[in-house]
Amino acid sequence: MLRFNKQNTIYAVAFFLVIWCCHSWATPFFTRVPFVPGLKPEVLTLATNAYNNAKSLGIGNKDVLTIVDYSLPSTARRLWVIDMNTQQVLFNTHVAHGSGSGSNFATKFSNQHGSRMSSLGLFLTAATYDGNYGRSLNLIGLEDNFNSNAEARRIVFHKAHYVSESIIKQIGRLGRSFGCLALNHKVADQVMHAIKEGSLVFCYYPDAKWLAESKFL
């Protein structure tokens, strides 16, 4: 029978420390956000999984995640910007979808030129620039067949006059873009400044093909 004298105790502690260190080194530190007001738990789980998987591949240099839930109507504040370190919601605001995707609800999505549809999947933010809508933010699509043509299609974040509560009151929904993520002019610059140059953007809809084929889910 093993006697736990002082020397054996030291050996046992050392052994368990080695095992713990090896396990910690081999196990990635995944970020989990337990709850975000207004955001469906299943969407939050998918978004954080995509964020962690991208980070494990060395994609993204900011600990900020933007989530867009296209299963919600345009009248809902369906965009969230989350600080993944503090787990605080930095912004929760309206975002318009492409005119080809639907009216108040977006139901169709595309990666094709000329479709005027929004795209699904994970994007990486690039630099801002001054365009037809003022300050705008370039996006890089990270998913083949779903959003990889984002740059060529000029799918970007930009501000728009048709994204506001007053427009919702007038026509019962937001206006629509040509596929871009259009924001209210009062918050657009702040949002783009917070997420530019290396953060991840997750655009969700319960599309069976994308959910089955995405390399980040």
Side-chain angles (χ1 to χ4, degrees), residues 1-191:
M1 184 175 69
L2 180 64
R3 294 181 179 178
F4 282 93
N5 55 32
K6 183 176 180 180
Q7 185 175 21
N8 286 337
T9 300
I10 292 173
Y11 288 153
V13 170
F15 173 78
F16 284 113
L17 282 174
V18 169
I19 295 297
W20 180 84
C21 289
C22 290
H23 180 266
S24 298
W25 176 82
T27 304
F29 290 92
F30 290 118
T31 301
R32 295 293 179 207
V33 180
F35 174 73
V36 173
L39 183 56
K40 300 171 187 174
E42 62 270 26
V43 178
L44 178 59
T45 297
L46 288 171
T48 52
N49 285 347
Y51 171 89
N52 286 319
N53 288 332
K55 285 285 195 173
S56 71
L57 296 172
I59 301 172
N61 58 26
K62 280 189 172 182
D63 296 326
V64 175
L65 173 62
T66 302
I67 303 174
V68 178
D69 183 358
Y70 282 130
S71 70
L72 297 174
S74 69
T75 52
R77 295 177 181 269
R78 57 183 178 174
L79 179 146
W80 293 260
V81 178
I82 304 168
D83 184 319
M84 299 298 278
N85 285 326
T86 64
Q87 301 188 356
Q88 291 182 329
V89 176
L90 304 179
F91 301 95
N92 176 212
T93 190
H94 291 104
V95 60
H97 56 254
S99 59
S101 288
S103 185
N104 189 26
F105 284 89
T107 57
K108 297 180 291 182
F109 302 88
S110 177
N111 193 33
Q112 298 303 312
H113 295 273
S115 68
R116 295 190 176 181
M117 295 183 192
S118 298
S119 297
L120 298 176
L122 197 64
F123 299 80
L124 182 69
T125 63
T128 56
Y129 67 97
D130 291 322
N132 294 334
Y133 294 93
R135 184 60 51 86
S136 303
L137 175 62
N138 284 310
L139 292 172
I140 301 168
L142 301 175
E143 305 208 40
D144 292 340
N145 302 320
F146 297 104
N147 64 22
S148 54
N149 289 328
E151 289 179 281
R153 292 179 63 203
R154 302 303 302 136
I155 302 302
V156 301
F157 275 101
H158 66 72
K159 63 186 72 174
H161 69 277
Y162 53 77
V163 181
S164 68
E165 293 283 0
S166 61
I167 292 294
I168 292 174
K169 290 177 181 178
Q170 290 176 35
I171 65 175
R173 59 169 173 79
L174 294 182
R176 295 167 298 170
S177 68
F178 285 177
C180 292
L181 294 96
L183 303 172
N184 181 277
H185 68 93
K186 292 181 180 179
V187 299
D189 286 341
Q190 299 172 58
V191 171

